[in-house]
Amino acid sequence: MQKKIIALAVAGLASTAAFAQTNVTIYGVMDVGQAWVKGDANSVAKGGTGVDQKTVGRLDTNSSLIGFKGVEDLGNGLKAVFQYETNLRADDNAGGLNGVRDSFVGLTGGFGTVVAGNLTHPMRSFGVKVDIMPGDAGLGTVNSVTGRIAGVNTGIDDRAANAIAYVSPSFSGFSGTVAYVNGEQRAEDASGSNYNVRAWQVAAQYDNGPLFVGVGYHRAYDWIPGGLNQRDSDAAARVWRIAAA
């Protein structure tokens, strides 16, 4: 028992020392807005319920979040980085911390940056750059127009779990990103065929002064994004995005 206590004490000191060497930043956004809304039966043709609702007051929380990020110098120009970010509900606190946003651990140096975790697809950043109405989540009209095709979510503007990405250094404004989303499962679809849900993206951009140009390609395998259990061994999503501002 005494040896176990000593071992725990040493482990605690070691972890405290490591934490003390890491520069940790706590950040966040607390966002609320007052709205008055009503329902019109005539909106059924546009996908509404067809039921009138008299005007009601509503307090909305849009992009409230809290995050923790840090960096630790490992020497020789190499640094370890991490981030954990989650949604908050400022209007009623229902669910408390209710959804992981970009959260990862990685290494950065002269070679670029490698991160792994829950990551925003690189092509989403193109949409943010050219979106005239970015919305509370940073992406509005572009996502609604090109992020969905015939009502099906293409996945290019999503965050992906189980993802790993490499981001190159910037060379006079030029940079590139490659990302891979692990399927982490093999199973059979309704027809009995084997599927493995996975995806990858490659993107390049020039961002220097007033000019931004980006091009990216998204490929998803055995997957129809946009709904649970929408998996098919013959299905695939292939999306190009080219943006300039």
Side-chain angles (χ1 to χ4, degrees):
M1 177 62 73
Q2 185 177 6
K3 290 182 179 179
K4 291 182 178 179
I5 293 176
I6 293 174
L8 287 172
V10 171
L13 288 172
S15 63
T16 302
F19 183 81
Q21 295 172 5
T22 303
N23 179 20
V24 179
T25 301
I26 302 174
Y27 63 95
V29 175
M30 194 64 75
D31 183 339
V32 295
Q34 178 65 42
W36 284 268
V37 297
K38 67 177 181 178
D40 185 350
N42 294 327
S43 65
V44 66
K46 300 179 181 180
T49 62
V51 177
D52 284 323
Q53 174 186 285
K54 296 186 181 301
T55 301
V56 296
R58 186 178 70 192
L59 188 66
D60 296 328
T61 180
N62 297 311
S63 55
S64 297
L65 61 93
I66 186 170
F68 306 84
K69 61 183 178 181
V71 57
E72 182 169 352
D73 194 342
L74 302 178
N76 297 320
L78 186 64
K79 296 180 180 180
V81 294
F82 78 89
Q83 176 176 301
Y84 180 84
E85 187 176 292
T86 182
N87 295 324
L88 290 174
R89 288 186 61 101
D91 53 346
D92 57 12
N93 199 36
L97 306 178
N98 63 351
V100 175
R101 298 165 64 92
D102 281 21
S103 299
F104 54 81
V105 62
L107 293 172
T108 185
F111 61 90
T113 301
V114 177
V115 291
N118 196 66
L119 307 175
T120 292
H121 283 316
M123 288 170 66
R124 178 185 174 110
S125 64
F126 296 173
V128 174
K129 283 285 188 178
V130 301
D131 207 323
I132 60 173
M133 297 180 65
D136 63 274
L139 193 65
T141 53
V142 167
N143 182 41
S144 65
V145 175
T146 62
R148 306 184 70 84
I149 298 175
V152 175
N153 180 18
T154 63
I156 66 173
D157 295 319
D158 294 345
R159 290 185 176 91
N162 309 310
I164 184 169
Y166 165 73
V167 182
S168 77
S170 177
F171 301 98
S172 301
F174 289 96
S175 62
T177 303
V178 178
Y180 178 74
V181 182
N182 292 282
E184 296 202 348
Q185 64 175 327
R186 281 193 176 274
E188 291 185 353
D189 59 20
S191 66
S193 299
N194 188 265
Y195 68 80
N196 178 23
V197 179
R198 62 203 187 281
W200 61 270
Q201 286 191 355
V202 58
Q205 67 179 38
Y206 175 77
D207 192 0
N208 194 0
L211 178 63
F212 170 82
V213 179
V215 58
Y217 177 74
H218 170 83
R219 176 72 161 88
Y221 298 84
D222 303 350
W223 179 30
I224 306 176
L228 296 175
N229 301 318
Q230 293 190 23
R231 300 180 177 93
D232 187 334
S233 59
D234 295 324
R238 300 179 183 88
V239 183
W240 285 92
R241 172 171 283 174
I242 301 173

